[in-house]
């Protein structure tokens, strides 16, 4: 069987591979959010933001206005009071201004604590592991306390800039705990994912045998329906994961595509899936000609 010069089996195999790739990636992304490092990044950004506001209480108005112009629309009130003192050199001023811009962009791209917690809770319930939410995190709790303490002790923007090295050290220190938390969610998630694929394939097999008139019927029809229904099961599972994960997508991120993704996350996934599959099939067709 062929479709416009491309064999039907190529279409089915490409669809299955692209769907599997999307499904595993989206599940891994959601489980990584649960693992904790994004929470550490949130804590770092908010601690820096809070300290910048405290330091800026005594800053002269012109300095506050300059920082406001550099940071832009995002978090204006919080970042605008962020310049504690004029820098002693143009290079230092440039580094501080760039740091403030990065903090502003990063804050705009992060969900709130409540949004992230809601997303993680929905994911763990989907995976049938709600008890994982209460799992103790001694290393993570210590790291969050260390970030808060370092931000409180910072007296200048330069001190806050140097906190980036502290964050990198904490990420390295937390690698074992984060890996354990990731696998604790990802492995049950993969089992659930394969369960959806298996149920879809079983349904396709049953339909194929029924429509083909028995086991001795059209083997191509049986195989095609089995693959198509397996892909359907994978798509359904991925849509449910996206429904959980999209609760933590920041509403304020710029760009038309991101706004559409926030408003219609599942439809956006189906569009990306269709476009990617089409691109893969076009590449296969070009390689064959």
């Amino acid at each position: 069987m062929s479709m416009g010069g491309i064999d039907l089996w190529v279409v089915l195999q490409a669809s299955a591979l692209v769907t599997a790739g999307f499904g595993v990636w989206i599940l891994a992304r959601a489980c990584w959010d649960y693992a904790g490092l994004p929470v550490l990044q949130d804590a770092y950004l908010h601690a820096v933001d809070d300290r910048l506001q405290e330091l800026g209480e005594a800053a002269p108005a012109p300095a506050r206005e300059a920082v406001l112009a550099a940071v832009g629309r995002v978090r204006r009130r919080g970042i605008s009071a962020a310049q504690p003192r004029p820098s002693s050199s143009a290079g230092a001023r440039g580094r501080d201004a760039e740091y403030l811009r990065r903090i502003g962009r990063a804050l705009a791209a992060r969900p709130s604590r409540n949004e992230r917690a809601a997303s993680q809770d929905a994911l763990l319930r989907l995976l049938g592991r709600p008890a994982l939410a209460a799992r103790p995190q001694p290393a993570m709790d210590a790291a969050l306390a260390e970030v808060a303490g370092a931000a409180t002790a910072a007296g200048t923007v330069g001190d806050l800039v140097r906190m980036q090295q502290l964050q990198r050290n904490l990420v390295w220190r937390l690698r074992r705990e984060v890996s354990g938390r990731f696998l604790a969610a990802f492995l049950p998630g993969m089992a659930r994912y394969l369960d959806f694929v298996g149920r879809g394939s079983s349904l396709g097999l049953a339909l194929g045998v029924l429509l083909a008139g028995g086991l001795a019927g059209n083997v191509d029809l049986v195989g095609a329906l089995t693959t198509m229904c397996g892909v359907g099961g994978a798509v359904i599972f991925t849509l449910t994961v996206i429904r959980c994960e999209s609760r933590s997508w920041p509403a304020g991120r710029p760009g038309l595509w991101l706004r559409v993704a926030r408003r219609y996350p599942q439809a956006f996934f189906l569009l990306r899936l269709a476009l990617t599959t089409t691109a893969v099939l076009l590449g296969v067709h070009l390689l064959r000609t």
Side-chain angles (χ1 to χ4, degrees):
M1 291 183 289
S2 63
M3 297 174 60
I6 298 180
D7 188 84
L8 176 61
W9 286 109
V10 175
V11 176
L12 293 176
Q13 289 168 4
S15 301
L17 289 174
V18 172
T19 303
F22 268 102
V24 173
W25 165 249
I26 290 171
L27 174 63
R29 189 174 62 186
C31 293
W32 183 252
D33 184 72
Y34 159 76
L37 285 187
V39 175
L40 176 64
Q41 176 71 2
D42 290 347
Y44 162 74
L45 291 171
H46 286 291
V48 169
D49 184 37
D50 292 342
R51 186 56 178 159
L52 285 172
Q53 294 184 53
E54 293 172 1
L55 293 174
E57 290 178 356
R64 293 200 299 271
E65 293 172 1
V67 175
L68 174 60
V71 174
R73 295 185 301 113
V74 180
R75 298 287 299 242
R76 290 196 176 199
R77 185 170 297 176
I79 302 297
S80 64
Q83 185 76 357
R85 58 171 176 79
S87 180
S88 59
S89 68
R93 286 197 301 271
R95 286 192 299 272
D96 290 353
E98 176 59 27
Y99 176 72
L100 294 174
R101 283 193 290 270
R102 289 202 308 271
I103 292 296
R105 289 194 297 266
L107 283 169
R110 311 298 289 189
S112 70
R113 294 180 179 90
N114 291 337
E115 287 173 330
R116 194 179 293 282
S119 173
Q120 294 178 6
D121 180 67
L123 174 68
L124 295 179
R125 290 185 182 279
L126 170 66
L127 302 182
R129 297 291 193 279
L132 288 178
R135 175 176 288 191
Q137 307 177 61
M140 180 62 69
D141 292 340
L144 295 176
E146 194 168 343
V147 167
T152 301
T156 65
V157 174
D159 293 337
L160 293 173
V161 172
R162 286 187 285 276
M163 279 184 63
Q164 295 175 98
Q165 183 59 46
L166 169 64
Q167 186 198 15
R168 287 191 286 268
N169 294 338
L170 291 175
V171 169
W172 176 254
R173 190 189 310 171
L174 291 169
R175 65 191 186 283
R176 184 171 299 176
E177 180 174 301
V178 167
S179 298
R181 286 174 60 81
F182 172 78
L183 292 176
F186 182 72
L187 294 180
M190 281 302 301
R192 192 74 184 273
Y193 178 71
L194 294 175
D195 180 54
F196 269 73
V197 174
R199 292 185 185 188
S201 299
S202 299
L203 175 62
L205 176 61
L207 288 175
V209 170
L210 179 63
L211 295 176
L215 294 175
N218 190 330
V219 177
D220 288 340
L221 177 62
V222 174
L225 285 175
T226 300
T227 305
M228 290 173 61
C229 290
V231 169
V235 169
I236 291 172
F237 178 79
T238 305
L239 289 173
T240 58
V241 174
I242 288 176
R243 185 178 181 183
C244 300
E245 186 197 26
S246 63
R247 303 181 187 202
S248 66
W249 292 355
R253 295 185 68 175
L256 175 62
W257 281 107
L258 290 172
R259 288 198 295 270
V260 172
R262 172 71 181 188
R263 188 172 182 85
Y264 308 105
Q266 294 165 309
F268 185 67
F269 160 70
L270 292 175
L271 176 61
R272 287 191 302 160
L273 181 64
L275 292 176
T276 305
T277 303
T278 302
V280 170
L281 290 173
L282 178 61
V284 171
H285 177 69
L286 292 176
L287 288 174
R288 287 186 166 189
T289 56

